[in-house]
Amino acid sequence: MSFDVHKIRKDFPILSQKINGKDLVYFDNAATTQKPQSVIDSLSSYYQTINANIHRGIHTLAEKATAEYELTREAIKNFLNAESAEQIIFTKGITDSINLVARSYGGVYLKTGDEVIISTMEHHSNIVPWQLICEEKGAILRVIPINESGEIIFEDYEKLLSEKTKIVAIVHASNALGTINPIKEIIKKAHRFGAVVLVDGAQAASHLEIDVQDLDADFYCLSSHKLYGPTGVGALYGKKSILEKMPPYQGGGEMISEVTFEKTTYNELPYKFEAGTPNIADTIALRKAIEYIQQIGKQAIATYEAQLLDYATKKLSEFEQVQLVGTAKEKVSVCSFVMHNIHPQDIGIILDTEGIAIRTGHHCTQPLMNRLGLVGTARASFAFYNTFEEIDKLTFGLKKVIKMLS
Amino acid sequence: MQTTEELKAELIENFSFLEDLDQKYEYVIELGKKLPMLDAQFKKDEFKIKGCQSTVWLIPEVAETTISFRADSDSVFVKGLISLLIYVSNNQPKDDVAKLNTDFIHQIGLGNYLSPTRSNGLVAMVKQMKLYAQ
Ligand SMILES: Cc1ncc(COP(=O)(O)O)c(C=O)c1O
């Protein structure tokens, strides 16, 4: 299929909106992506035609809903090139996936004096769950430093690794800087010391081809709402041998095999980790989002988004007052910047008057901002439905920012 | 001396001459730039109100029955809004400030910058102003 952005935009109804009398320019895709019509239709169609609780019913609707729900699991398995669908656990999102691993895996396998390694550029949701479990277990959190471009310093990572390292938890692509981390090498090194690696794929899965087997990842976390799917759904991929030896995370319905007051035996994978009635409608709609992405093709998406990033980088660099934050060699389409003597929040407020939605602030990466000596940045993040003309509007908007604020 | 309500009405009137959002924002930014910066000595934690994005420093000046404020922010826009809040509460009876209603910001046409879901530190600042006035 040839890449036609104007045709693609028609599939995203929200994009034709006016904001403050201007065409919406949606550059906040790293926070959440917009949804194609097929996803929106799937949600209402579910409630109109097959709504039923899944897995336990024997009536027709329950079977239909269950089948659709499991199709999404299958779709994610293919999307990540996982070995089997039972290794895909549905969660509420990345945060939930990481907490699951920290609690369930960390709860059993972390001992006093053990170490967990994360990086400086982690999102709070890949920091706090580890802090909590480390504190509880008397384990130590170690942090991989970054260089001025916003790349992890690999040699320092290697130095941190030791027999004490039990878990390495790292973001695949940084939401604040765009940096793509060398995940495959990171995993390879960690495995030499017998540590397991969890990858936060929030920002990577929508831009890059993901192959968990090729990466040899032990855990890989996905978030539907960053992938053109609904909010409140995510997935956790895990290696089967690891998932099998992990205890359940939450207790309740669905995750059990047999319950007596004396002892409960747990259901098999993946249900062992899926307590309670899940977010059925949104999970089903997520498959439509994945199909949409696959129909355009990750390769075509990556190529086009790289062009957008290059163009934006070039345009922003032309401003004397603008300083780009995050200039790694390998980046997803995230453009973070600061402006001389202008608070990021003020940039965002003025751009909003032009209908341009960007994100400003610390992007839930306060330790990273501290490391960079910034209170925050302004961040434009692009998706495949964005256009070069929209980047021109951003440039125009920034001229207005400068005119009004300096 | 004008009351808080009279001062609010005056602001609403002033802003009504500004035709579009751009002009209103420009005016707010102008006010923000004009509001004197606080000396470094006042920018300490006890006066700091932390928003998600910008920081506000608020210093009360309490007299027997009235109250005034000085304030600053690292965001010029927020500072402009602060200057409106300071203006309507300047030398006002504490009782009036304690029940300060900020709907006028909305009536001015500046949108919902003071709605409780905003994370800019202003909501917390208004709360703190009221506390000082009690
Ligand atoms: C890198 C990164 N990790 C984690 C998260 C949290 O994801 P979720 O909203 O699915 O919990 C985000 C999203 O803000 C993110 O960008």
Side-chain angles (χ1 to χ4, degrees):
Chain A
M1 196 185 103
S2 75
F3 191 88
D4 180 352
V5 70
H6 297 291
K7 189 161 157 285
I8 286 171
R9 287 179 71 82
K10 293 206 181 77
D11 295 331
F12 291 81
I14 205 170
L15 297 178
S16 53
Q17 260 193 85
K18 299 265 184 216
I19 302 288
N20 291 320
K22 310 281 167 64
D23 290 335
L24 166 66
V25 174
Y26 188 75
F27 282 167
D28 197 14
N29 294 289
T32 198
T33 50
Q34 299 302 346
K35 321 304 173 199
Q37 190 68 52
S38 58
V39 169
I40 300 167
D41 287 346
S42 167
L43 285 170
S44 67
S45 155
Y46 169 79
Y47 287 115
Q48 285 178 32
T49 58
I50 60 166
N51 175 49
N53 208 337
I54 53 172
H55 291 139
R56 283 155 301 235
I58 46 113
H59 58 80
T60 308
L61 288 186
E63 273 175 20
K64 278 189 178 167
T66 305
E68 286 281 321
Y69 184 80
E70 291 301 328
L71 278 178
T72 300
R73 206 187 300 275
E74 197 63 33
I76 295 175
K77 175 211 148 212
N78 294 330
F79 190 70
L80 296 176
N81 192 32
E83 298 88 343
S84 66
E86 63 186 356
Q87 288 165 263
I88 307 298
I89 295 152
F90 286 124
T91 64
K92 288 185 291 192
I94 302 271
T95 307
D96 195 29
S97 298
I98 297 174
N99 276 284
L100 189 164
V101 176
R103 281 275 130 215
S104 169
Y105 186 89
V108 174
Y109 295 100
L110 282 179
K111 304 271 180 282
T112 309
D114 283 346
E115 297 184 354
V116 175
I117 298 181
I118 60 172
S119 86
T120 306
M121 67 181 89
E122 297 312 312
H123 188 281
H124 294 164
S125 58
N126 200 25
I127 302 174
V128 185
W130 301 115
Q131 283 175 330
L132 288 169
I133 195 72
C134 282
E135 183 153 357
E136 204 178 298
K137 296 285 161 186
I140 297 154
L141 195 62
R142 301 260 179 228
V143 183
I144 312 168
I146 56 167
N147 63 24
E148 293 309 306
S149 311
E151 296 161 320
I152 63 158
I153 303 173
F154 204 85
E155 304 78 68
D156 289 354
Y157 165 57
E158 292 186 277
K159 281 183 213 143
L160 286 176
L161 283 167
S162 75
E163 306 300 331
K164 287 190 230 150
T165 312
K166 292 293 174 298
I167 301 168
V168 176
I170 183 132
V171 73
H172 196 161
S174 155
N175 64 311
L177 306 174
T179 312
I180 300 172
N181 283 316
I183 292 300
K184 201 171 166 175
E185 289 71 42
I186 288 172
I187 292 173
K188 203 190 269 172
K189 297 283 179 205
H191 283 170
R192 285 201 191 143
F193 292 89
V196 298
V197 181
L198 172 140
V199 184
D200 171 353
Q203 302 297 334
S206 56
H207 304 288
L208 311 172
E209 199 78 64
I210 310 292
D211 182 335
V212 287
Q213 294 188 64
D214 178 57
L215 292 173
D216 201 16
D218 301 293
F219 300 105
Y220 199 98
C221 310
L222 280 190
S223 189
S224 158
H225 75 95
K226 313 255 188 206
L227 266 180
Y228 311 96
T231 52
V233 182
L236 170 69
Y237 157 87
K239 278 194 185 146
K240 194 171 169 189
S241 56
I242 300 176
L243 290 175
E244 274 176 339
K245 64 179 191 181
M246 283 162 58
Y249 170 50
Q250 292 177 324
E254 188 80 41
M255 52 78 70
I256 47 86
S257 165
E258 192 180 359
V259 179
T260 66
F261 284 119
E262 289 69 38
K263 174 148 183 71
T264 294
T265 49
Y266 303 119
N267 205 336
E268 56 201 24
L269 286 178
Y271 310 110
K272 179 170 84 171
F273 293 107
E274 295 179 355
T277 300
N279 187 349
I280 306 167
D282 294 284
T283 306
I284 290 174
L286 167 58
R287 177 162 64 89
K288 300 293 173 188
I290 291 174
E291 284 170 357
Y292 190 89
I293 294 170
Q294 283 169 334
Q295 195 195 330
I296 302 176
K298 278 273 182 80
Q299 194 54 50
I301 290 174
T303 307
Y304 181 69
E305 287 176 345
Q307 288 167 358
L308 288 175
L309 178 66
D310 281 351
Y311 186 67
T313 305
K314 179 170 144 276
K315 284 286 167 184
L316 289 179
S317 308
E318 284 168 10
F319 286 92
E320 222 176 273
Q321 298 88 341
V322 169
Q323 192 200 333
L324 293 170
V325 180
T327 49
K329 280 184 234 48
E330 301 287 333
K331 275 180 73 171
V332 293
S333 46
V334 166
C335 228
S336 238
F337 60 95
V338 290
M339 293 176 83
H340 186 59
N341 274 340
I342 300 177
H343 194 278
Q345 183 178 321
D346 291 332
I347 303 174
I349 288 171
I350 302 303
L351 289 179
D352 184 56
T353 66
E354 289 296 314
I356 303 170
I358 62 156
R359 180 136 308 229
T360 62
H362 54 62
H363 317 295
C364 293
T365 56
Q366 279 180 353
L368 172 64
M369 293 298 134
N370 290 341
R371 156 67 181 83
L372 298 169
L374 300 169
V375 291
T377 74
R379 179 189 72 189
S381 52
F382 312 115
F384 55 72
Y385 44 60
N386 289 129
T387 66
F388 296 95
E389 296 82 61
E390 287 182 315
I391 293 171
D392 289 337
K393 286 185 187 167
L394 173 65
T395 329
F396 174 83
L398 289 178
K399 284 181 186 151
K400 180 169 170 183
V401 169
I402 291 167
K403 190 171 131 269
M404 286 176 84
L405 288 165
S406 49
Chain B
M1 219 196 75
Q2 285 172 293
T3 66
T4 295
E5 287 314 310
E6 285 164 353
L7 292 166
K8 283 185 191 172
E10 184 192 315
L11 287 177
I12 293 171
E13 161 110 13
N14 286 352
F15 272 84
S16 72
F17 297 115
L18 302 171
E19 277 157 24
D20 56 19
L21 196 61
D22 275 7
Q23 290 187 9
K24 289 182 178 158
Y25 274 40
E26 262 168 28
Y27 187 48
V28 173
I29 289 165
E30 223 33 64
L31 294 173
K33 286 179 183 166
K34 273 194 211 141
L35 190 70
M37 275 205 283
L38 284 178
D39 287 342
Q41 67 186 90
F42 294 111
K43 291 197 173 171
K44 36 184 188 187
D45 281 351
E46 73 173 291
F47 300 123
K48 196 157 151 177
I49 298 168
K50 197 122 182 51
C52 182
Q53 305 214 356
S54 50
T55 302
V56 171
W57 292 269
L58 177 72
I59 296 154
E61 278 155 10
V62 190
E64 203 163 314
T65 57
T66 62
I67 191 164
S68 294
F69 297 95
R70 283 183 297 151
D72 204 344
S73 172
D74 48 358
S75 153
V76 182
F77 192 82
V78 168
K79 217 172 148 178
L81 294 177
I82 286 176
S83 98
L84 300 176
L85 292 168
I86 289 184
Y87 186 73
V88 300
S89 55
N90 192 35
N91 265 323
Q92 293 299 322
K94 287 183 197 167
D95 288 350
D96 290 358
V97 176
K99 49 181 203 284
L100 182 69
N101 182 323
T102 56
D103 286 352
F104 74 103
I105 299 281
H106 192 54
Q107 286 161 24
I108 279 174
L110 287 173
N112 289 318
Y113 279 98
L114 282 169
S115 81
T117 53
R118 289 280 175 156
S119 54
N120 53 27
L122 276 170
V123 179
M125 166 173 160
V126 172
K127 220 176 178 178
Q128 192 61 42
M129 286 172 75
K130 292 180 179 178
L131 274 178
Y132 281 132
Q134 271 169 14

